[in-house]
Amino acid sequence: MQFFLDTADVGEIAELAPLGLVDGVTTNPTLVRRSGRDFLAVVREICGLVAGPVSAEVVATDYDGMRREADVLRAIAPNVCIKLPLTPDGLRACRALTADGAMVNVTLCFTAPQALLAAKAGATFVSPFVGRHDDVGFEGMALIEDIRRVFANYRFPTRILVASVRHPVHVLQAARIGADVATMPPAVLRQLFRHPLTDRGLEQFLADWAQTGQRIG
Ligand code: G3P
């Protein structure tokens, strides 16, 4: 399973990327606003920090505008992945851009039929949002299971990029289902490490070691 960071906070990415556990980054207009930074500059910096796909979202809603903005974003770095909304113009642009060799992440997916459309449009990734589904009383993970089942029937190459992840259980559930990627806020990646018994066990090991009076090297 690949782990992407869902953030436009360059400082967070710079801190976590050296762990070797960050396989890519996803941004969106809301995350860019929160960064308070220039969009193109942020994408350029992120592409220099992470070798994997860096999703940068167009804001045009028409095909021609999407193509124009995608050209600008693709010019930033070879690992830029163009993020497109799951709309008719978005999927038309998806087909054209993937045919032209671009990576495309089709976002704002909330149903399996939508994911099927994205796969037929040749999307590199499709981003079903689980947290926002949970927020309105639907089971976000049931959507992931449904999409996984549909894709397996036809061996679609489109990778399932679980998005709108709220906590470590979302990551675990997505992994149990066999989703390809989970994109998560930096805080969730940090939470994956945490368990009190790990902390307590390490403290005990170090205390016992100290009593040996020995050193390694
Ligand atoms: O960036 C796409 C998605 O992960 C955002 O989800 O619900 O946290 O805004 P959300």
Side-chain angles (χ1 to χ4, degrees):
M1 182 183 220
Q2 291 195 314
F3 284 0
F4 287 9
L5 285 179
D6 198 27
T7 184
D9 185 325
V10 172
E12 290 276 35
I13 297 167
E15 184 180 323
L16 291 169
L19 295 181
L21 300 170
V22 177
D23 302 301
V25 173
T26 51
T27 69
N28 65 43
T30 302
L31 294 171
V32 171
R33 177 187 57 76
R34 276 188 209 147
S35 78
R37 297 274 313 274
D38 174 81
F39 178 35
L40 301 189
V42 163
V43 173
R44 188 171 296 109
E45 274 188 58
I46 295 172
C47 288
L49 291 168
V50 174
V54 175
S55 288
E57 190 162 343
V58 301
V59 289
T61 54
D62 64 298
Y63 173 78
D64 290 334
M66 290 173 176
R67 291 297 308 270
R68 218 175 16 256
E69 291 178 0
D71 287 346
V72 172
L73 296 174
R74 292 175 73 186
I76 294 173
N79 57 324
V80 164
C81 176
I82 303 301
K83 214 174 188 184
L84 297 165
L86 213 156
T87 62
D89 280 64
L91 295 194
R92 184 182 166 206
C94 173
R95 177 163 294 289
L97 285 165
T98 51
D100 190 43
M103 287 189 286
V104 171
N105 177 4
V106 172
T107 190
L108 290 168
C109 173
F110 291 94
T111 69
Q114 283 183 320
L116 183 53
L117 287 172
K120 285 180 63 64
T124 313
F125 303 99
V126 63
S127 290
F129 283 35
V130 294
R132 293 193 194 185
H133 244 309
D134 292 354
D135 292 345
V136 293
F138 287 88
E139 278 188 75
M141 277 304 155
L143 169 62
I144 306 303
E145 278 182 313
D146 211 6
I147 294 171
R148 179 91 169 82
R149 190 176 308 118
V150 167
F151 281 19
N153 288 342
Y154 301 96
R155 285 190 283 282
F156 281 127
T158 300
R159 283 172 270 173
I160 302 169
L161 194 166
V162 178
S164 191
V165 166
R166 296 278 195 271
H167 46 68
V169 173
H170 272 160
V171 179
L172 173 60
Q173 290 170 329
R176 282 181 176 148
I177 292 166
D180 300 286
V181 187
T183 193
M184 63 195 84
V188 173
L189 180 59
R190 293 192 178 93
Q191 281 175 281
L192 290 173
F193 284 94
R194 287 200 199 119
H195 194 286
L197 289 180
T198 303
D199 299 342
R200 205 178 306 162
L202 182 57
E203 278 168 29
Q204 189 59 57
F205 283 160
L206 297 177
D208 291 341
W209 176 255
Q211 289 190 22
T212 70
Q214 298 180 57
R215 290 171 59 85
I216 301 173

